[in-house]
Amino acid sequence: MKQTKYILTAEMLGSVLISLIIIVLYESGALLPGSFSDNANAEFLAVTFMEIITICMIPLSLKLFKFKKISLSLKNDTNRGLTKWGTIRMAMLCVPMMVNTLCYYLFGFNVAFGYMGIIGLICLAFIFPSTSRCVNETQTEE
């Protein structure tokens, strides 16, 4: 169980670190923001796509372990199931967060991407892989 907790924590912290690296690179001037700001159609499509992805992934990731098949997988094969489904759940929040962070700078500080990235970061607090959460999510209900 501890190894699974460390894997999930590393995935989460790695994603946050990648987002911070993107922020530092653009804010320090190492990379120039606004590479795609002149293409309004691409910006509209990217905002629309990322809004749909972000809005759909948040509730789905928070309720993922309540689905019957996944719940049974977590209870029957505790460590492997938690590693597999925990990684999927982490990716459901972390990948859109990182993409939104990158798009915020690529499209010239479009605040929609910034807000969605921040919302993704806040949602990570609800799935932080603490030891008690890992145990509670894999326990069988008597």
Side-chain angles (χ1 to χ4, degrees), residues 31-90:
L31 296 174
L32 297 176
S35 302
F36 297 133
S37 61
D38 58 344
N39 192 343
N41 288 333
E43 184 174 2
F44 173 75
L45 290 174
V47 168
T48 304
F49 180 73
M50 288 310 299
E51 283 176 348
I52 291 170
I53 293 296
T54 303
I55 289 170
C56 291
M57 288 297 152
I58 290 171
L60 183 61
S61 66
L62 296 177
K63 289 292 185 182
L64 186 67
F65 288 2
K66 301 293 181 195
F67 295 124
K68 192 170 195 159
K69 179 182 176 190
I70 296 169
S71 179
L72 287 173
S73 173
L74 291 171
K75 287 165 183 36
N76 293 337
D77 189 8
T78 304
N79 287 329
R80 192 166 149 226
L82 185 60
T83 302
K84 174 185 172 185
W85 291 109
T87 298
I88 291 170
R89 180 167 73 170
M90 199 67 67

Side-chain angles (χ1 to χ4, degrees), residues 90-111:
M90 199 67 67
M92 290 169 75
L93 288 177
C94 290
V95 171
M97 177 190 68
M98 291 183 295
V99 171
N100 280 317
T101 303
L102 182 61
C103 287
Y104 172 75
Y105 290 103
L106 288 177
F107 288 103
F109 307 109
N110 185 327
V111 294

Side-chain angles (χ1 to χ4, degrees), residues 1-15 79 82-84 86-87 90 127-135:
M1 185 70 67
K2 283 189 177 213
Q3 183 181 9
T4 301
K5 176 190 169 272
Y6 291 136
I7 290 170
L8 295 175
T9 303
E11 291 171 355
M12 183 164 98
L13 294 178
S15 299
N79 287 329
L82 185 60
T83 302
K84 174 185 172 185
T87 298
M90 199 67 67
I127 64 165
F128 183 79
S130 65
T131 304
S132 60
R133 176 167 284 129
C134 291
V135 169

